[in-house]
Amino acid sequence: MSSAARTSDVLTLLASQESERLTVGDIIAVLRDRAFALLVVLLGLPNCLPMPPPIPLVCGLLLLVIAVQIVAGMSSPWLPKRVLGQSVARATVAKAVTRAVPLLRRLERWSKPRMSVFETALGMRGTGVLILAMALALIVAPPFFGQIPLGLAVSLIGLGLVERDGVVVLIGVVIGGVGVGISIGFVYTLFASVMSALHWLSQSIPGLAS
């Protein structure tokens, strides 16, 4: 596939692989020179839909590894052999890609290279920091629906990077801010609930507080 191929074309090629299961190494081999940006898109896509645990956790952890490497200025992604050998059903990838491609193609008709600040080394590292924050938020996102804003944000940022469109990146950052806020609120509420339950137990059970 040529370097001029659009994001939707690359993802369609990925979903059309003949294997019943795709390893992480297979996916990176298909993405090739656009592996960083398209891995970001690919890790965001499953979270654009209601997904049960541990899918957001796994995507968040992988995204965390990718974000750290972007911040470090690496030219291509590195993953441990154990991670490269992990596989996912091709049908699962195809389902996510099938739902995403119509939207991606509409965005690609509107998208164009602009706001080149994100193409600079400093801009890429700054974007990596933002992706890192979203990856952490994705790890602790409320189950089933809480990860959807983060999934959409991450996908848009990755798409903006591969299409060299800073406006799409900025839209993703704004949506990501909402998603990070939801995750922070969820963690705070969970922590407050646990502390409240412990306080109630210490008051209700004689001798527990001591």
Side-chain angles (χ1 to χ4, degrees):
M1 179 164 288
S2 70
S3 59
R6 305 304 296 266
T7 306
S8 58
D9 297 327
V10 179
L11 293 180
T12 299
L13 175 63
L14 179 64
S16 65
Q17 299 298 297
E18 294 182 359
S19 305
E20 288 299 317
R21 298 188 68 83
L22 296 174
T23 67
V24 175
D26 293 334
I27 292 170
I28 291 178
V30 172
L31 303 185
R32 290 187 294 182
D33 57 325
R34 287 180 283 184
F36 267 135
L38 286 174
L39 273 176
V40 170
V41 175
L42 200 61
L43 290 171
L45 283 179
N47 298 287
C48 294
L49 304 170
M51 287 289 178
I55 291 176
L57 173 62
V58 172
C59 289
L61 289 173
L62 289 173
L63 191 62
L64 186 64
V65 174
I66 296 300
V68 168
Q69 294 179 45
I70 293 175
V71 173
M74 294 178 63
S75 59
S76 59
W78 174 89
L79 292 171
K81 289 184 178 180
R82 184 173 181 179
V83 174
L84 290 173
Q86 296 297 312
S87 66
V88 62
R90 188 195 59 79
T92 300
V93 175
K95 180 180 178 181
V97 169
T98 299
R99 294 194 179 190
V101 160
L103 175 59
L104 287 175
R105 285 182 174 155
R106 284 195 291 270
L107 284 171
E108 287 167 351
R109 285 196 293 269
W110 172 78
S111 179
K112 59 184 179 181
R114 49 190 164 181
M115 289 185 66
S116 59
V117 64
F118 292 102
E119 295 182 56
T120 66
L122 184 60
M124 275 296 295
R125 291 188 178 192
T127 305
V129 171
L130 295 173
I131 296 172
L132 181 63
M134 293 180 201
L136 292 170
L138 188 58
I139 291 170
V140 298
F144 296 103
F145 293 96
Q147 82 279 5
I148 291 177
L150 291 165
L152 179 59
V154 168
S155 298
L156 285 173
I157 290 173
L159 178 64
L161 290 176
V162 77
E163 300 291 334
R164 296 182 295 134
D165 191 338
V167 172
V168 174
V169 173
L170 284 178
I171 293 172
V173 169
V174 171
I175 297 174
V178 175
V180 170
I182 292 172
S183 290
I184 291 174
F186 173 71
V187 171
Y188 175 80
T189 301
L190 188 62
F191 177 77
S193 299
V194 170
M195 294 304 295
S196 177
L198 290 174
H199 178 72
W200 180 83
L201 285 173
S202 67
Q203 297 297 316
S204 302
I205 303 176
L208 185 61
S210 58

